[in-house]
Amino acid sequence: MLNIRLPGLGRGLALAFAASALLAGPSTAFEPGNAECIAPAAPGGGWDFTCRQVGKVMQDLKIIPGTMQVTNLAGGGGGVAYAEVVSKRSKDNNLIVAASSATATRLATGAFPGNTMEQMRWVGSIGADYGVIAVAKNSPIKTLPELFAKIKADPTSVSIAGGSAVGGWDHLKVLIAAKADGINNLRSIKYVPFDGGGEAITQLLAGSVQAFTGDASEAKGFVDSGDIRVIAVLAPERLPGAFHAFPTAKEQGIDAVGANWRGFYAPGGMSDDAYKFWVASVKKVYASPEWKKVMEQNGLAPLDLDGPQFEAFVKKSISDIQTISKEIGLIK
């Protein structure tokens, strides 16, 4: 069994959160001029969701003056944005960047050449997004075991699209599930990378691929519209809300869990005052009733880490992913 679990998430997903005050955090002398969030992928994916939803709550709560500008900077599974921040915007106090397990995966496997996590300041998390595997609404494939049976019979007959690069988190999730189902030649699985989950689902609907691997938040809009059918959720138990109707992989005899944390990093040269502001701001968002509603509507599970605690968590995530990647042969 290859599972990636997050602190406290295995104890239930009722999303019944303890009441908490809106943590004001440390007062700082900094206030952003033109707040900006970079989503390192095309519109419609999980990073885009993170920037836009958190930005909206920050605006609604008047945590930031004006609006949050969202910039989509796709390429390299997040590598283009990472390199851009390191090389050109390392001292930008107005900037935060959406990050996730996909970011940790790329750092873990050396896919951001010359870049390390130490080049950024790690701000905080806003929840965890469990993985899903889905097919188009008219697909003859009804279950996860059926999908893997087709791959076992003829690996060339199935292509699976995801919003991360080869070796990235979307790719890794489906390999974890495949190995749990007894597929040992993981390199035989045809994975097709796209810049973001939205683009990957578009290719699924166009019939270019047979399945999609991504996160619950990415799939939510397409689930609501009826365009796709989730055949497995990579969670310990069924998610609440709209996703409660969909079975876990475990229910289908495939013991695989894949949880994608979501959060933000900031430029490594950001001032201490600006960093404290953004850490406190993300914490305010997480503690707000408005964000609890977003989490429940989009199948996000609790994960509340900030500042040094979040940095330590990311460091451990990178280490854990390196271990799993070695186990399934992605890296040596």
Side-chain angles (χ1 to χ4, degrees):
M1 178 179 69
L2 286 174
N3 290 352
I4 291 186
R5 301 183 184 272
L6 296 172
L9 294 185
R11 294 191 296 271
L13 297 170
L15 294 180
F17 299 90
S20 58
L22 296 184
L23 301 175
S27 60
T28 74
F30 175 79
E31 185 177 272
N34 297 299
E36 180 183 358
C37 182
I38 290 179
W47 286 328
D48 187 65
F49 164 87
T50 301
C51 277
R52 294 186 190 279
Q53 293 293 328
V54 171
K56 182 180 185 303
V57 174
M58 284 188 179
Q59 292 162 209
D60 292 347
L61 298 179
K62 302 190 184 308
I63 294 172
I64 57 173
T67 60
M68 173 74 81
Q69 177 187 336
V70 176
T71 302
N72 292 93
L73 190 56
V80 171
Y82 208 91
E84 172 84 6
V85 175
V86 169
S87 64
K88 298 180 181 178
R89 305 188 64 178
S90 65
K91 297 184 183 299
D92 193 334
N93 288 333
N94 295 318
L95 177 66
I96 56 174
V97 186
S100 65
S101 293
T103 313
T105 301
R106 302 296 281 163
L107 287 166
T109 56
F112 293 169
N115 294 140
T116 66
M117 71 162 289
E118 287 76 21
Q119 291 170 303
M120 303 297 179
R121 304 193 77 166
W122 297 86
V123 177
S125 63
I126 47 86
D129 206 352
Y130 279 103
V132 298
I133 297 174
V135 295
K137 63 180 179 182
N138 57 354
S139 171
I141 300 169
K142 304 297 183 186
T143 68
L144 187 59
E146 285 180 22
L147 176 69
F148 287 148
K150 285 180 70 68
I151 292 173
K152 289 172 185 176
D154 180 9
T156 65
S157 68
V158 177
S159 295
I160 305 175
S164 71
V166 172
W169 181 238
D170 286 341
H171 188 192
L172 193 60
K173 280 199 299 271
V174 79
L175 295 184
I176 288 169
K179 183 162 186 179
D181 193 47
I183 297 177
N184 294 318
N185 184 13
L186 298 175
R187 295 184 184 277
S188 70
I189 295 174
K190 291 177 63 179
Y191 173 79
V192 185
F194 293 95
D195 279 323
E199 188 177 339
I201 294 175
T202 298
Q203 294 302 313
L204 174 67
L205 300 182
S208 303
V209 297
Q210 288 68 52
F212 163 75
T213 167
D215 297 313
S217 66
E218 294 177 313
K220 177 67 165 56
F222 296 93
V223 167
D224 290 346
S225 67
D227 288 319
I228 68 172
R229 182 162 32 85
V230 174
I231 59 173
V233 180
L234 302 180
E237 57 191 75
R238 291 205 181 197
L239 298 179
F243 283 85
H244 189 69
F246 303 118
T248 64
K250 191 171 184 177
E251 286 177 58
Q252 301 173 71
I254 300 172
D255 197 355
V257 172
N260 184 8
W261 58 263
R262 295 204 171 276
F264 298 94
Y265 64 80
M270 174 178 279
S271 72
D272 288 343
D273 275 351
Y275 177 67
K276 289 176 184 176
F277 170 86
W278 287 114
V279 169
S281 296
V282 170
K283 197 165 185 65
K284 286 180 188 178
V285 168
Y286 187 91
S288 70
E290 289 85 349
W291 186 249
K292 297 299 183 281
K293 185 175 181 181
V294 171
M295 291 179 71
E296 185 170 3
Q297 289 173 340
N298 291 279
L300 286 176
L303 185 67
D304 181 15
L305 301 168
D306 61 87
Q309 186 184 21
F310 180 55
E311 181 179 347
F313 170 76
V314 173
K315 188 172 184 178
K316 186 176 187 303
S317 292
I318 291 171
S319 176
D320 289 346
I321 291 167
Q322 283 175 333
T323 299
I324 291 174
S325 296
K326 287 175 183 175
E327 286 180 7
I328 61 179
L330 281 176
I331 60 175
K332 293 182 179 180

